Amino acid sequence: MYRTTTCGELRAANIGQTVTLAGWVQRIRKMGGMTFIDLRDRYGITQLAFNQEVDSELCDKANHLGREYVIQITGAVAERYSKNANMPTGDVEIIVSELNVLNEAATPPFTIEDETDGGDDLRMKYRYLDLRRACVRKNLELRHKMAFEVRRYLDEQGFLEVETPVLVNSTPEGARDFVVPSRMNQGQFYALPQSPQTLKQLLMVSGFDRYFQIVKCFRDEDLRADRQPEFTQIDCEMSFVEQEDILNMFEGMSRHLFKAIKGIDLPKLPRMTWHDAMKFYGSDKPDTRFDMRFVELMDVLKGHGFSVFDEAAYIGGICAKGAASYTRKQLDALTEFVKRPQIGAKGMVYARVEADGSVKSSVDKFYTQDVLQQLKTAMQAEAGDLILILSGADAMKTRKQLCELRLEMGSQLGLRDKNKFSCLWVIDFPMYEWSDEEQRLMAMHHPFTAPKPEDIPLLDTDPAAVRANAYDMVINGVEVGGGSIRIHDAKLQEKVFEILGFTPEQAQAKFGFLMNAFKFGAPPHGGLAYGLDRFVSLFAGLDSIRDCIAFPKNNSGRDVMLDAPGFIDQSQLDELGLKIDLKE
Amino acid sequence: MYRTTTCGELRAANIGQTVTLAGWVQRIRKMGGMTFIDLRDRYGITQLAFNQEVDSELCDKANHLGREYVIQITGAVAERYSKNANMPTGDVEIIVSELNVLNEAATPPFTIEDETDGGDDLRMKYRYLDLRRACVRKNLELRHKMAFEVRRYLDEQGFLEVETPVLVNSTPEGARDFVVPSRMNQGQFYALPQSPQTLKQLLMVSGFDRYFQIVKCFRDEDLRADRQPEFTQIDCEMSFVEQEDILNMFEGMSRHLFKAIKGIDLPKLPRMTWHDAMKFYGSDKPDTRFDMRFVELMDVLKGHGFSVFDEAAYIGGICAKGAASYTRKQLDALTEFVKRPQIGAKGMVYARVEADGSVKSSVDKFYTQDVLQQLKTAMQAEAGDLILILSGADAMKTRKQLCELRLEMGSQLGLRDKNKFSCLWVIDFPMYEWSDEEQRLMAMHHPFTAPKPEDIPLLDTDPAAVRANAYDMVINGVEVGGGSIRIHDAKLQEKVFEILGFTPEQAQAKFGFLMNAFKFGAPPHGGLAYGLDRFVSLFAGLDSIRDCIAFPKNNSGRDVMLDAPGFIDQSQLDELGLKIDLKE
């Protein structure tokens, strides 16, 4: 036994006890004849005191310790002269009588503090030291807790966690697979699953009724800030359910998580159709922490001689409450913001509502005060508000630009507080979206997604108008989860494939495996999957999912700590029947 | 909502209620003017009744259903005329008033019953139908429950579940790695982890203190009945602990599992040294459900002119209680058993203790009744017992043969009841074992395993005699878990590497990564890993781990249901910079 207690436990009530602690030397301070050491472990920090006059040998030993040395001490818990209200153990210190160096430590390449001097690259290379920082570790503690509470809730609801295989077959749809060459079947490859979608549907065919799994998934995509080649899903599927049953079940799960982890009573989740989300927020994942909804201004602003608006297919505005005081410089910066190539607007029109109620706009010469007052009314703007307007020839593209502007304004006005949570369901996604690249309709979710029963007749007449029984859970503008009711009727499935442009032969070749299984009695079923990394990031208030992953990869897919990937021996390649054949 | 209740819930108390059920048609029976259907879902089976006289149309519809059709029915819960005490819902049946076919089903290729007519290959190809069988599904339900209870226990003990990456680097020791070619780093490969050993030790360096993970691990080995290329470990590590702390913690976990799952109060686990396990059972994983310990008989049986024994380096016997009635034929079969090449004994000697206490042996001509009585005493044999004796020139090999014979006798005498559990710790494993192949000492556990402190001086004088702080948990002759205290002292680690025959440069090249991390203050730590598949198999009384895995692979590493591995496109190979180059 190396310790009788941890560095986070001792309080005033323990004064007088003799304890043994073990941990890392966080800080050493010498004051007069005293040496103070902050001893750290996962549970906290406890102050150790050494007195030169009482035991000079021991004190010398303490003075020779370095940062991050691993030590074990025994001593008496004593009241501290100057208490530290900022730390739970701040009332006490240990008068050390025995000091044992368990391990020395080289000086770490950066300080082990919440505010560290280590840059990203250095911290990733020495991730095992970075993880010593309390602010990093607490994200992983949160991750553990969230995963555990998810399991507790789903277990109570009768879900079975079933492990599906990691070595599977390459899938015909979706992103690029990671593949694994087989030694026992040379020339053939396993694939790592992009999700257990097919397997969980098979488990429904098996009658498992309620399945879940917290599971690693893999996508060999070029990485962006918020993507990792391996990521974790909370993957769920239920049988004999309609959309309503699934929404209720997983709203319940989110409610449980918010309560258990954050102490927040989540209200009933609002539901917004995809159509409304696009219309009012220009996004299928609206950040509803703040209002600032889009108002369509075609009626108000068209036909007054301002050619930009007169020629537009869409004119929309947002009202930034209290932002009339924005300076010309700030407004120019916003214009630059929307004109950035990533956003692509041509320009921005603004209008301020003055203290006297009059409206001053950047296009005053085209509009009478009368029209501008109509604008004010349409925008429900008041004195002191700032109206920002975008327009364009493509309504959907313009809405997306306005969405970016809205989010930027939300950020600038402090309306996107990480400690506030606004959750909703976005429902009634379209079944199909048109692909300019492929020149055909594509499945918006995936080809097994069921249409809304009332829209089935439209499959024949206007497939682009068909809505799906698909849904996303959105929190603070982040899609944390999504799913759909699946088609379980063979004839309906055929029709959906047909609209996607597959011949029966192509459909069989691509999806025959699952369709064959469905012949043996598939129940009605549906499900969804949450991105655990994103969910945890949201709860932790992180900007990147990387910070809630113990050993993440960088943007080139490398683990710089492990130095993976790496080269392998010729003998390994020979066993696999492979040859390196680099392309330029 | 497809149902108001499940097929496992209705009891006599529900008589009179109107319910809606959904599920699969298990069986259809016509009796007189009645049709009875067993409707099945995950939760049970409920009998449905259709009366030709009351509603002939509905009854006809029922008569046209096939096995495994998915249906939804509404009806009134009624008391059954002939109750079935063998099923929980056996008191009731549903008088169906509405029948809705949710999906038709092709006739399954084998019967969906506990006793099925489907062979292994067929059942694996249609695993999604095999999983419909209650006897298969309950293994996966058990697996869910065990994993959940493991998490509950470890969470309560302050362990954090941390996900470690699946895409790692190739490890220099152990079995063959599965590798994953990197597209973004052409010519380089990730490896799938054989275990998170290095990463969990790094988490200890990070101060995580108590880590666990239920995690998939991968080994590209030629497969045996009880091996799968992907398998699941309960992987654990603790800091600031000695062996005693770990044994207590995980004995507690096993106690929790036995209580929560089986309702069994596990007694304090006995501890057996590796030396005693080999001496008394010829195995480091003794099946202690029955006694039948080895007795060494060199003193008794040597030097009486029986050259087989006179020349032996080891003579050992077991006493099979009450087996004196074994016929000559049975004894011959046992002799054949030990002579099988997998076991490799030259022959077997037996001795029966007759009802009058006299001993009759197969080598009577070499031994007086006096000596045979000494044998009886040494074996603590009584009237009616059978003594079986093996001998050989290599004590360890002969013990292993005797171990096989003991297990066979245990099985034949019904002493290996799958519903009885005998757990123990095997401790004090040797640090090293001699490898004839490599002509050097090899690490028995792994090269980071710590020697017992009291044996450290022997590292210089007699390394083969050094015992490790390594331990296995053994249940019913199966090693369900094992681990060790790790070395955290750099100098000791160097010495251990030296004995393994590594130069400092080689050690650095092979293990430098972890050793570098250890320079920054490694705490004393240790851990263990359980094989979840084996643990579940034991609890379920299965012969193979395959039956507790949802989608297992066959002996060629193939998933015959998914038909994985498979071929990939040339374009995929090009992207990876690879060429197929099959070797004969």
Side-chain angles (χ1 to χ4, degrees):
Chain A
M1 205 130 86
Y2 276 91
R3 60 190 175 197
T4 58
T5 182
T6 70
C7 297
E9 287 171 62
L10 297 172
R11 300 289 183 274
N14 303 103
I15 288 169
Q17 293 174 2
T18 297
V19 296
T20 301
L21 294 178
W24 285 263
V25 172
Q26 174 82 14
R27 223 175 278 116
I28 306 182
R29 294 185 309 281
K30 288 183 215 178
M31 295 174 73
M34 296 292 292
T35 295
F36 296 100
I37 291 180
D38 281 352
L39 188 67
R40 186 196 71 231
D41 65 13
R42 182 182 121 197
Y43 311 95
I45 287 178
T46 297
Q47 177 165 296
L48 314 178
F50 300 81
N51 189 327
Q52 186 75 37
E53 279 182 27
V54 174
D55 189 338
S56 68
E57 198 182 336
L58 190 68
C59 198
D60 282 348
K61 200 170 168 189
N63 288 336
H64 281 90
L65 296 173
R67 274 206 290 136
E68 301 303 317
Y69 271 47
V70 186
I71 63 171
Q72 180 190 41
I73 61 95
T74 297
V77 183
E79 188 173 3
R80 245 161 102 162
Y81 290 105
S82 54
K83 300 199 170 51
N84 183 346
N86 294 323
M87 49 194 284
T89 63
D91 286 351
V92 300
E93 62 187 9
I94 314 293
I95 310 299
V96 177
S97 53
E98 224 183 297
L99 165 62
N100 181 12
V101 176
L102 297 175
N103 229 335
E104 299 185 354
T107 307
F110 50 84
T111 55
I112 311 295
E113 307 274 356
D114 284 1
E115 296 295 323
T116 183
D117 54 354
D120 259 21
D121 291 350
L122 200 61
R123 291 195 297 108
M124 284 302 141
K125 184 164 156 56
Y126 295 93
R127 180 66 166 172
Y128 48 86
L129 298 179
D130 194 33
L131 289 171
R132 282 189 189 166
R133 297 163 61 224
C135 62
V136 180
R137 196 186 52 239
K138 80 175 171 19
N139 296 331
L140 290 158
E141 288 172 349
L142 173 68
R143 187 183 180 109
H144 160 75
K145 195 145 189 249
M146 285 183 72
F148 187 74
E149 290 301 333
V150 165
R151 287 190 164 101
R152 194 203 299 270
Y153 175 83
L154 292 174
D155 177 73
E156 276 168 11
Q157 300 294 331
F159 283 77
L160 296 175
E161 184 162 25
V162 179
E163 292 175 66
T164 54
V166 176
L167 297 171
V168 297
N169 52 349
S170 208
T171 46
E173 31 144 18
R176 204 183 280 108
D177 287 318
F178 280 105
V179 296
V180 181
S182 165
R183 178 181 57 86
M184 289 206 270
N185 306 271
Q186 274 197 9
Q188 297 184 49
F189 294 77
Y190 303 98
L192 303 181
Q194 294 183 32
S195 89
Q197 181 64 35
T198 320
L199 291 159
K200 73 175 172 176
Q201 292 194 245
L202 288 179
L203 286 173
M204 294 304 104
V205 174
S206 298
F208 270 59
D209 209 77
R210 295 184 168 191
Y211 145 92
F212 85 103
Q213 189 182 189
I214 300 186
V215 60
K216 276 282 174 74
C217 300
F218 306 86
R219 275 179 208 168
D220 187 11
E221 286 179 339
D222 296 320
L223 302 175
R224 298 184 311 218
D226 220 28
R227 286 268 174 89
Q228 284 277 314
E230 50 179 299
F231 54 98
T232 305
Q233 284 194 351
I234 306 168
D235 191 49
C236 308
E237 196 82 1
M238 299 171 78
S239 288
F240 300 113
V241 289
E242 289 159 342
Q243 174 169 307
E244 193 62 26
D245 303 309
I246 294 187
L247 298 190
N248 288 334
M249 177 63 72
F250 291 95
E251 192 165 323
M253 186 179 97
S254 299
R255 188 163 290 115
H256 174 74
L257 279 181
F258 271 96
K259 187 69 188 173
I261 309 277
K262 292 259 163 203
I264 292 173
D265 286 301
L266 205 63
K268 174 104 188 104
L269 260 60
R271 297 183 188 180
M272 191 184 291
T273 64
W274 178 87
H275 182 264
D276 279 356
M278 297 312 293
K279 180 172 172 168
F280 294 119
Y281 299 94
S283 167
D284 56 5
K285 40 179 193 280
D287 184 345
T288 50
R289 276 174 297 186
F290 62 108
D291 197 22
M292 217 187 278
R293 286 183 168 215
F294 296 2
V295 177
E296 287 195 17
L297 300 168
M298 299 283 278
D299 291 347
V300 182
L301 298 178
K302 239 184 178 338
H304 294 272
F306 179 43
S307 65
V308 172
F309 285 175
D310 288 351
E311 288 157 20
Y314 175 85
I315 310 168
I318 52 174
C319 174
K321 304 302 283 179
S325 57
Y326 259 49
T327 62
R328 181 61 194 251
K329 199 174 154 195
Q330 284 175 299
L331 290 163
D332 285 348
L334 282 179
T335 305
E336 286 314 304
F337 173 82
V338 297
K339 285 168 82 175
R340 287 160 51 193
Q342 305 96 300
I343 298 182
K346 293 257 165 56
M348 183 187 79
V349 166
Y350 62 84
R352 289 192 186 94
V353 185
E354 307 286 348
D356 64 2
S358 66
V359 177
K360 281 218 179 263
S361 93
S362 55
V363 287
D364 271 358
K365 58 177 164 180
F366 299 107
Y367 296 96
T368 62
Q369 188 60 221
D370 242 24
V371 176
L372 292 175
Q373 286 298 321
Q374 286 172 38
L375 169 67
K376 185 175 94 175
T377 306
M379 296 302 305
Q380 298 185 287
E382 297 169 311
D385 292 350
L386 175 68
I387 299 166
L388 301 174
I389 305 169
L390 296 185
S391 67
D394 180 318
M396 201 55 101
K397 277 187 188 158
T398 312
R399 283 196 182 101
K400 285 180 181 166
Q401 294 159 358
L402 193 54
C403 168
E404 296 296 333
L405 180 61
R406 175 181 175 273
L407 293 175
E408 175 63 21
M409 284 310 295
S411 296
Q412 290 193 11
L413 298 175
L415 303 172
R416 303 178 74 191
D417 181 350
K418 284 179 177 170
N419 296 309
K420 272 181 113 178
F421 295 93
S422 177
C423 316
L424 75 157
W425 289 108
V426 176
I427 58 172
D428 296 356
F429 279 76
M431 276 287 278
Y432 303 105
E433 56 186 342
W434 179 259
S435 164
D436 282 338
E437 196 180 324
E438 302 241 348
Q439 284 290 307
R440 65 171 177 98
L441 290 174
M442 305 275 283
M444 199 159 195
H445 193 61
H446 61 60
F448 300 105
T449 299
K452 291 189 93 66
E454 61 269 34
D455 286 3
I456 289 180
L458 290 173
L459 284 171
D460 291 317
T461 56
D462 184 7
V466 176
R467 295 165 303 162
N469 265 334
Y471 32 81
D472 279 355
M473 183 178 281
V474 175
I475 305 181
N476 293 4
V478 174
E479 176 211 325
V480 291
S484 67
I485 297 294
R486 329 297 182 186
I487 298 171
H488 67 278
D489 177 80
K491 290 215 182 66
L492 183 57
Q493 185 69 65
E494 271 171 36
K495 182 167 297 238
V496 166
F497 281 147
E498 196 186 308
I499 294 167
L500 289 171
F502 299 137
T503 64
E505 293 71 31
Q506 284 170 329
Q508 184 64 32
K510 282 196 173 215
F511 309 107
F513 170 62
L514 191 58
M515 286 165 72
N516 287 343
F518 275 22
K519 285 184 193 151
F520 294 101
H525 63 289
L528 85 180
Y530 285 87
L532 179 64
D533 309 287
R534 280 194 201 168
F535 216 158
V536 177
S537 305
L538 256 175
F539 268 51
L542 300 172
D543 292 318
S544 163
I545 59 168
R546 228 172 259 184
D547 293 322
C548 68
I549 296 173
F551 301 106
K553 294 193 172 49
N554 72 9
N555 277 345
S556 318
R558 292 200 73 83
D559 184 322
V560 293
M561 181 190 75
L562 294 175
D563 197 20
F567 296 99
I568 60 174
D569 292 343
Q570 186 59 44
S571 61
Q572 278 177 285
L573 288 169
D574 289 346
E575 278 192 321
L576 298 169
L578 287 180
K579 215 166 147 172
I580 303 284
D581 178 34
L582 300 189
K583 308 286 177 195
E584 293 313 297
Chain B
M1 202 128 89
Y2 276 92
R3 60 190 174 195
T4 59
T5 181
T6 71
C7 297
E9 286 171 60
L10 296 172
R11 301 287 183 274
N14 304 101
I15 288 168
Q17 294 174 1
T18 297
V19 296
T20 301
L21 295 178
W24 286 263
V25 172
Q26 173 83 16
R27 221 174 280 118
I28 306 183
R29 294 185 309 279
K30 289 183 215 178
M31 294 174 71
M34 297 292 293
T35 296
F36 296 101
I37 291 181
D38 282 352
L39 187 67
R40 185 195 71 229
D41 66 12
R42 182 182 121 197
Y43 312 95
I45 286 177
T46 297
Q47 179 164 298
L48 313 179
F50 300 82
N51 190 327
Q52 187 74 39
E53 281 182 27
V54 174
D55 188 338
S56 68
E57 197 183 335
L58 190 69
C59 197
D60 282 349
K61 199 170 169 191
N63 288 336
H64 282 88
L65 295 173
R67 275 205 289 135
E68 301 303 318
Y69 271 45
V70 185
I71 63 171
Q72 179 189 43
I73 61 96
T74 298
V77 183
E79 188 173 1
R80 245 162 103 160
Y81 289 107
S82 55
K83 301 199 172 50
N84 182 345
N86 294 324
M87 50 196 284
T89 63
D91 285 352
V92 299
E93 63 187 9
I94 314 293
I95 310 298
V96 176
S97 54
E98 223 182 299
L99 166 62
N100 182 12
V101 177
L102 297 175
N103 230 334
E104 300 186 352
T107 306
F110 50 85
T111 55
I112 311 295
E113 307 273 357
D114 283 3
E115 296 294 324
T116 183
D117 54 354
D120 259 20
D121 291 350
L122 201 61
R123 293 194 297 107
M124 283 301 140
K125 184 164 157 51
Y126 295 94
R127 180 66 166 174
Y128 48 86
L129 297 178
D130 195 33
L131 288 171
R132 283 190 189 166
R133 297 163 59 224
C135 62
V136 180
R137 196 186 51 240
K138 79 173 172 23
N139 296 330
L140 289 158
E141 288 173 349
L142 173 68
R143 187 183 180 108
H144 160 75
K145 196 147 190 250
M146 284 182 73
F148 188 75
E149 291 300 334
V150 164
R151 287 191 164 98
R152 193 202 299 271
Y153 176 83
L154 292 175
D155 177 73
E156 276 167 11
Q157 300 294 329
F159 284 78
L160 296 175
E161 183 161 25
V162 179
E163 293 177 64
T164 54
V166 176
L167 298 171
V168 297
N169 52 349
S170 206
T171 45
E173 32 144 18
R176 206 183 280 106
D177 287 318
F178 280 104
V179 296
V180 181
S182 166
R183 179 182 57 86
M184 288 206 270
N185 306 272
Q186 273 197 10
Q188 297 184 46
F189 293 77
Y190 302 99
L192 303 181
Q194 295 184 30
S195 90
Q197 180 66 34
T198 320
L199 290 159
K200 72 175 172 176
Q201 292 195 245
L202 288 179
L203 286 173
M204 294 304 106
V205 175
S206 297
F208 271 58
D209 210 79
R210 293 183 169 193
Y211 145 92
F212 85 102
Q213 189 182 189
I214 300 186
V215 60
K216 276 282 175 72
C217 301
F218 305 86
R219 276 181 207 168
D220 186 11
E221 285 179 341
D222 297 320
L223 302 174
R224 298 184 311 216
D226 219 28
R227 286 266 174 92
Q228 284 278 313
E230 50 180 301
F231 55 97
T232 305
Q233 283 195 350
I234 307 167
D235 191 49
C236 308
E237 196 82 3
M238 301 171 77
S239 288
F240 300 114
V241 289
E242 289 160 341
Q243 172 168 309
E244 192 63 25
D245 301 311
I246 293 186
L247 298 189
N248 288 334
M249 177 62 71
F250 290 95
E251 192 164 324
M253 186 180 97
S254 299
R255 185 163 292 116
H256 173 74
L257 279 179
F258 270 98
K259 185 70 188 176
I261 310 277
K262 291 261 164 203
I264 292 172
D265 286 302
L266 204 64
K268 174 104 188 103
L269 261 62
R271 297 183 188 179
M272 191 184 292
T273 64
W274 178 88
H275 182 264
D276 279 356
M278 296 313 292
K279 179 171 172 167
F280 293 121
Y281 299 94
S283 168
D284 56 6
K285 38 179 194 281
D287 185 346
T288 49
R289 277 175 296 187
F290 63 108
D291 199 21
M292 216 187 278
R293 286 184 169 213
F294 297 0
V295 177
E296 288 196 15
L297 299 167
M298 298 283 278
D299 291 349
V300 180
L301 297 178
K302 238 182 176 345
H304 294 271
F306 179 43
S307 64
V308 171
F309 283 174
D310 288 352
E311 288 157 21
Y314 175 85
I315 310 168
I318 53 174
C319 176
K321 303 302 284 180
S325 58
Y326 259 48
T327 62
R328 180 59 192 253
K329 198 174 158 197
Q330 285 174 298
L331 289 163
D332 284 349
L334 282 180
T335 305
E336 285 316 304
F337 173 82
V338 296
K339 285 167 84 174
R340 287 160 52 193
Q342 305 95 301
I343 299 181
K346 292 261 164 56
M348 184 187 79
V349 166
Y350 63 84
R352 288 193 186 93
V353 185
E354 307 285 349
D356 64 0
S358 66
V359 176
K360 281 220 179 257
S361 93
S362 56
V363 287
D364 270 358
K365 60 178 163 178
F366 299 106
Y367 294 97
T368 63
Q369 189 58 224
D370 243 24
V371 175
L372 292 175
Q373 286 298 321
Q374 285 172 39
L375 169 67
K376 183 175 95 174
T377 305
M379 297 301 306
Q380 297 185 288
E382 297 169 310
D385 292 351
L386 175 67
I387 298 166
L388 300 173
I389 304 169
L390 296 185
S391 67
D394 181 318
M396 200 55 97
K397 278 187 188 159
T398 311
R399 283 195 181 103
K400 285 178 181 168
Q401 293 160 359
L402 193 54
C403 169
E404 296 297 333
L405 180 61
R406 175 179 174 273
L407 292 175
E408 175 62 21
M409 285 309 295
S411 296
Q412 291 193 11
L413 298 175
L415 303 173
R416 303 178 73 191
D417 181 351
K418 284 179 177 171
N419 296 309
K420 271 182 114 176
F421 295 93
S422 177
C423 315
L424 74 157
W425 288 108
V426 176
I427 56 171
D428 296 356
F429 278 75
M431 276 286 278
Y432 303 105
E433 56 186 342
W434 178 257
S435 164
D436 281 339
E437 197 180 322
E438 302 241 346
Q439 285 290 306
R440 65 172 177 98
L441 289 175
M442 305 276 281
M444 198 160 195
H445 193 59
H446 60 60
F448 299 103
T449 299
K452 292 189 93 64
E454 61 269 34
D455 285 4
I456 289 180
L458 289 174
L459 285 171
D460 292 317
T461 56
D462 185 7
V466 176
R467 294 165 304 161
N469 265 334
Y471 33 80
D472 279 355
M473 182 179 280
V474 175
I475 305 180
N476 293 3
V478 175
E479 177 210 324
V480 290
S484 66
I485 297 295
R486 329 298 179 184
I487 298 171
H488 67 277
D489 177 80
K491 290 215 182 67
L492 183 57
Q493 186 68 66
E494 274 171 35
K495 184 170 293 240
V496 165
F497 281 147
E498 194 187 309
I499 293 165
L500 289 170
F502 298 137
T503 64
E505 293 71 30
Q506 284 171 329
Q508 185 64 32
K510 283 197 172 213
F511 309 106
F513 170 63
L514 191 58
M515 286 164 73
N516 288 343
F518 276 21
K519 284 183 192 151
F520 294 101
H525 63 289
L528 86 179
Y530 284 87
L532 179 63
D533 309 287
R534 280 195 200 166
F535 216 159
V536 177
S537 306
L538 255 174
F539 267 52
L542 300 173
D543 292 320
S544 163
I545 59 169
R546 229 172 260 185
D547 294 321
C548 68
I549 295 173
F551 301 105
K553 296 193 169 51
N554 72 9
N555 277 346
S556 319
R558 291 201 74 83
D559 184 321
V560 293
M561 181 189 76
L562 294 176
D563 197 21
F567 296 98
I568 61 174
D569 292 341
Q570 186 60 43
S571 62
Q572 278 178 285
L573 288 170
D574 289 346
E575 278 193 319
L576 298 170
L578 286 181
K579 214 167 146 171
I580 304 283
D581 179 33
L582 300 187
K583 307 286 180 196
E584 293 310 298

